[in-house]
Amino acid sequence: MITWPHFDTTTPVLVQGITGKEGLRMSSWMRAAGTRVVAGITPGKGGQEVEGSPVFNTVREAREAFPNAVTSCIVVPGAHVRAAVEEAFAAGITFVYVLTEHVPVHDVRAMRATAAAHGGVLLGPSSVGYLQFPAFRLGYMGGMNPFATLKEGGLAILSGSGGMANETLMACARNQIGVRLCLATGGDPVNGCSLTDAIHLVESRADVTGIAVFVEPGNALLRTLLSGIIQPRKPLVICLPGDALESLPRGLPYGHAGTVLGEEDPSLTEVRAALTEKGYRTTARHETFIQWCREIM
């Protein structure tokens, strides 16, 4: 089971790739949401500053200057992500978040193994981020100024899709539904942190009263819930869309987030019914999902 660190407004965060266009933008958005970005890392750019944060050539140099910084955000080209992740964990980082898309699957598998070997957490790649009240955010989760529009509460929102995580957050804001945290595991077929890992995280938090999961067909979470491998104690509601897949050839990936309906998989209607029988309210309609979020927030 993954052990997540404690995040709050004092948590120091590093950004690997901070001097690039996306690194500059992401670090600025994170600061605006309350995240304490203390330093950046770009090889060959050591000695520069970005919005008052010093830039270092290596993660190890940044950690020597900020020894309490054990969280790093990575926004570098896909071909360099694996090396950046390995460098971070080797330097003592315990939580690595990766925004970058199109990271090769074999690299992601190797990154997962690196994280496990160091007892760390890898969120992403291809993840829009993590948001937590009262004022902590990694990546772009929640838009430009999320804590000005969202209401604080006890709901945890979990999703493979970053777009649907944000859509659910905004629907909660419109309906005055109180949120504690929201995370997207990432839109690639292989992720560092799974939705099952994320459920373990929120189950351990006393400030979470209910769990809302947006999950797409083929996600391993569906099998773990139906098999009883995990049995969340907190109220859990599920949005499982994808009925259009029933009319398409089986066994092929559609959309993103590893969406696949296998040749031998039951229909989505059957999966929803089985999940409901297990005690998890499950729907294909996002409107119904949001109504249930209000009831468990």
Side-chain angles (χ1 to χ4, degrees):
M1 183 187 305
I2 289 177
T3 301
W4 288 56
H6 172 76
F7 294 126
D8 59 31
T9 56
T10 68
T11 301
V13 175
L14 307 178
V15 176
Q16 292 172 252
I18 196 170
T19 57
K21 179 180 178 181
E22 199 62 47
L24 288 165
R25 180 172 181 258
M26 187 181 73
S27 60
S28 179
W29 278 47
M30 284 166 48
R31 285 191 187 92
T35 303
R36 185 173 164 238
V37 178
V38 296
I41 298 93
T42 301
K45 299 291 182 70
Q48 297 185 14
E49 282 195 357
V50 172
E51 294 186 351
S53 296
V55 178
F56 296 89
N57 290 314
T58 67
V59 178
R60 191 168 299 281
E61 290 175 1
R63 290 212 64 236
E64 288 174 356
F66 299 95
N68 293 328
V70 294
T71 300
S72 184
C73 301
I74 292 179
V75 53
V76 301
H80 303 293
V81 167
R82 178 177 173 180
V85 168
E86 291 173 346
E87 179 189 359
F89 283 121
I93 297 295
T94 60
F95 188 101
V96 173
Y97 158 64
V98 181
L99 171 72
T100 309
E101 298 177 314
H102 309 303
V103 179
V105 172
H106 64 275
D107 280 354
V108 181
R109 295 189 185 280
M111 287 152 48
R112 286 174 56 175
T114 298
H118 286 85
V121 181
L122 173 67
L123 177 61
S126 191
S127 165
V128 75
Y130 174 89
L131 175 148
Q132 176 188 301
F133 270 90
F136 181 82
R137 198 245 309 260
L138 300 175
Y140 293 113
M141 183 68 77
M144 179 67 79
N145 194 6
F147 299 109
T149 56
L150 291 168
K151 176 183 176 182
E152 185 171 2
L155 183 69
I157 301 169
L158 313 176
S159 174
S161 162
M164 289 311 302
N166 273 322
E167 177 63 28
T168 301
L169 271 181
M170 294 305 100
C172 286
R174 290 192 298 269
N175 289 275
Q176 292 294 294
I177 296 171
V179 174
R180 174 55 50 194
L181 63 86
C182 179
L183 71 85
T185 58
D188 292 342
V190 180
N191 307 112
C193 170
S194 69
L195 284 175
T196 301
D197 294 328
I199 285 181
H200 285 306
L201 158 70
V202 298
E203 277 277 279
S204 67
R205 293 185 63 120
D207 55 359
V208 169
T209 58
I211 307 168
V213 180
F214 183 94
V215 59
E216 296 180 80
N219 194 286
L221 174 66
L222 301 172
R223 295 188 293 275
T224 58
L225 286 171
L226 289 174
S227 66
I229 293 175
I230 63 167
Q231 301 179 43
R233 300 180 304 278
K234 295 180 179 180
L236 172 66
V237 298
I238 300 169
C239 186
L240 173 60
D243 286 329
L245 294 183
E246 303 287 13
S247 62
L248 297 173
R250 294 283 189 111
L252 298 175
Y254 295 97
H256 76 317
T259 304
V260 177
L261 198 58
E263 294 283 357
E264 305 300 323
D265 288 347
S267 71
L268 292 181
T269 300
E270 292 170 329
V271 172
R272 293 188 199 105
L275 288 166
T276 300
E277 188 174 342
K278 283 278 188 181
Y280 310 122
R281 285 188 283 179
T282 309
T283 180
R285 294 182 58 82
H286 197 254
E287 298 91 335
T288 303
F289 182 56
I290 295 302
Q291 291 173 15
W292 292 346
C293 286
R294 179 187 295 280
E295 295 173 16
I296 65 170
M297 69 175 183

